Every structure is written in structure tokens, then in C-alpha cells.
Amino acid sequence: MKKILIPTDFSKNSKNSIRYAVDLFKENPCQFFILYINIEGSNITEKPVYEFGTNVLVEIEPKAISHKLKDLEKFIASLSSKKEHHHFTTMREQGYFLTTIRKHIQEKEIDLIIMGTRGASELKEFFIGTRSGDVITKVECDVLVVPDKAKFKNFKQVVIPIDFEVDFDDSILRKIANNLNSEKAQIKLLYVTKSQMPLFEEIELQQEQLVQRLSEKLPNPISFHRVVSKQIEDGIQIFAESMNADLIIMISKDYGLIQRSFLDTTVEEVSFNTSIPLLSLQG
């Protein structure tokens, strides 16, 4: 059974992330943990704000939280796509966001975090803060970011940006297959370069080998594409929109803090610009 953690602040778009999750995994047995984190106080090592594109909501009154949780449970019960093999647990906890998320990931063996976002500007504020990309780059769990008003539809076009430094091992390929839930989805491998120069022979060979390897492991149609863009995130966004992509999948790299801050910014940059759901997989 897939175990999914969905943080909530009771806003419309956090509810939309629940609806999207239920539709996405309608055929899969799932245990959904809906978590409200009540944050109070301050700490110099962790920003005491619960913000990932939704409204910041800090409720001190326990009765108010209980009422909102009951309303959320009614909302979940009303979802027409909710299946018998879907189980929900609503939770509330007081503490710091990352600390609490990590605790539940470990205790409940969470497979995926799903987060809603209201739009580019709000999510950008979260990602470019002092803890740039905390949830994606500092929490050891796969993360699906669902933009505001996004409605799930069967994946037809999926874009996977590549840089030939990430090894698509069997565990990553299994994750891709499990999250797509469709053999018909077309996978577009995207390589963004900053100049029109022809690719080096070594890169061309890596490209051919990667397409061949993925084609052997995944049943989906796979193709390789190259775009030229001064900004990687712009190239990904423009290409994904031109393909009417339903999903962008990115592989997070396990860099150290300094390397991550200065070298591995692609995931964070794309996260706050895209209007397309983004799935970040731990590499």
C-alpha cells in the first residue's frame, strides 16, 4: 500500500492537492496522511512559517483546528473519485515544519509527499528563502508539487529534464513507472543547452545509450529533445508548455549543502515557475 503525506493549511489549493492525489492514485491502494502543522514561536535554525504557496495559517485555539479538521474530513468523504482502497488519517501537530515532516516520514515510512501551490509568486517566496528548496532538497522523500487549480488527467506527455550526470538506476525507473500508471504516456527526455553548437560526440553517444536503456526498462514511447536557452528553467518551461505536458519529472541530486546551494538549483527554479505538476524523485 502506498503511503502518502499531504500537508494542509485548509486552503482551497491544499484541498485541491488532496483531490489531485485521490484521482492520480485511484487504482492504487493508498494510505493518505493529511497533516496540519501548527507552528508557534521562532528558531534561528528553521524559519517558523508554514508556507509552500498556500496561505500561512497559524491557529492557536484547539477547537478551531478540530472544526477545520472535521470539515476537511467531510470534504474528503465527498470526493466522488475516493475508492474503498483509499484510507485517510487526519493529524495535527505543533512544531517546526521540516522537523515534523521528517518525523512522520520516518515513523510512517512515507513514499511520497504531495504539496499544493497557489501560484508561481507564492511558491517562489518559499524556494528562494534562507532554506532554498527545503522540502525537495533537504527532506529525503519524493515530492509532487501540484499547482493551483490543476486537475488530474491521464498522463499523455511527460517531460524529464536530463544532464547526463544522474544515473537512471533501476530504483528510479521503477519510481517513474509506478507514478505514471500508464504505458501510453510519451516520455520526452529534455537536454537544455545554452548555445547552438552541435553536441559533442560523447554527449550524442550518452543520449543514444540513455534512450536505449530507458526503452528496454519502460514500456512507454521515449524520445530525446534538445532546446537552447540561456536559463535552464526557462527552456524546460517553454518546452513543457509547447508539448502540452501533463507532468515534469526531475531527479534530485544528493549534493552537500554548499554544492546544492550553488550548483543544483534546477529543481527549485523550475518548481516556482511551472504551472505543470512537478514530481521530484530522490536520486
Side-chain angles (χ1 to χ4, degrees), residues 120-182:
S121 61
E122 291 84 358
L123 193 56
K124 182 174 182 178
E125 291 177 2
F126 173 73
F127 278 114
I128 65 174
T130 56
R131 298 176 293 120
S132 179
D134 280 347
V135 175
I136 288 177
T137 60
K138 294 183 181 179
V139 174
E140 295 184 3
C141 189
D142 299 337
V143 181
L144 174 63
V145 179
V146 180
D148 182 33
K149 299 180 181 178
K151 296 184 183 299
F152 173 74
K153 53 184 178 180
N154 291 329
F155 297 131
K156 296 179 180 179
Q157 302 287 342
V158 177
V159 174
I160 305 181
I162 60 173
D163 62 6
F164 299 110
E165 294 181 5
V166 174
D167 180 23
F168 282 79
D169 58 25
D170 289 346
S171 64
I172 286 292
L173 296 179
R174 281 195 297 271
K175 287 182 180 182
I176 292 174
N178 290 338
N179 283 285
L180 290 186
N181 290 334
S182 172

Side-chain angles (χ1 to χ4, degrees), residues 30-225:
C30 293
Q31 173 66 61
F32 296 98
F33 297 95
I34 314 300
L35 174 64
Y36 169 75
I37 303 174
N38 182 29
I39 301 170
E40 183 181 12
S42 62
N43 187 302
I44 60 173
T45 62
E46 182 172 342
K47 188 166 60 175
V49 191
Y50 175 22
E51 55 176 358
F52 51 87
T54 58
N55 299 325
V56 175
L57 178 61
V58 178
E59 291 275 5
I60 305 301
E61 177 55 51
K63 291 183 179 179
I65 300 299
S66 297
H67 179 72
K68 290 179 181 295
L69 284 172
K70 288 181 179 180
D71 285 344
L72 190 60
E73 290 170 356
K74 291 179 182 178
F75 165 77
I76 292 170
S78 71
L79 295 176
S80 59
S81 53
K82 179 176 175 289
K83 305 295 183 180
E84 291 182 357
H85 51 255
H86 286 170
H87 305 280
F88 290 83
T89 300
T90 56
M91 305 176 295
R92 65 178 179 187
E93 190 159 336
Q94 182 166 317
Y96 290 100
F97 184 67
L98 286 182
T99 303
T100 305
I101 291 292
R102 289 193 184 106
K103 184 188 77 168
H104 285 283
I105 288 173
Q106 183 175 7
E107 289 180 353
K108 298 174 176 60
E109 299 181 333
I110 296 297
D111 300 301
L112 178 68
I113 300 172
I114 297 182
M115 296 164 39
T117 173
R118 191 170 52 200
S121 61
E122 291 84 358
L123 193 56
K124 182 174 182 178
E125 291 177 2
F126 173 73
F127 278 114
I128 65 174
T130 56
R131 298 176 293 120
S132 179
D134 280 347
V135 175
I136 288 177
T137 60
K138 294 183 181 179
V139 174
E140 295 184 3
C141 189
D142 299 337
V143 181
L144 174 63
V145 179
V146 180
D148 182 33
K149 299 180 181 178
K151 296 184 183 299
F152 173 74
K153 53 184 178 180
N154 291 329
F155 297 131
K156 296 179 180 179
Q157 302 287 342
V158 177
V159 174
I160 305 181
I162 60 173
D163 62 6
F164 299 110
E165 294 181 5
V166 174
D167 180 23
F168 282 79
D169 58 25
D170 289 346
S171 64
I172 286 292
L173 296 179
R174 281 195 297 271
K175 287 182 180 182
I176 292 174
N178 290 338
N179 283 285
L180 290 186
N181 290 334
S182 172
E183 298 182 357
K184 297 181 179 179
Q186 296 187 30
I187 296 177
K188 312 288 187 182
L189 301 178
L190 176 63
Y191 184 53
V192 181
T193 60
K194 296 186 178 182
S195 74
Q196 294 281 1
M197 291 179 59
L199 297 179
F200 293 114
E201 291 185 7
E202 180 182 357
I203 295 295
E204 289 186 337
L205 179 60
Q206 286 180 304
Q207 162 203 325
E208 295 172 1
Q209 291 174 339
L210 181 58
V211 172
Q212 181 178 353
R213 169 169 165 70
L214 268 62
S215 297
E216 292 172 352
K217 295 290 185 177
L218 297 173
N220 307 75
I222 298 171
S223 57
F224 178 87
H225 304 264

Side-chain angles (χ1 to χ4, degrees), residues 161 232-233 236 250 263-271:
I232 293 177
E233 66 274 16
I236 296 173
M250 303 193 72
L263 299 179
D264 189 23
T265 60
T266 305
V267 169
E268 297 96 308
E269 290 169 346
V270 173
S271 298

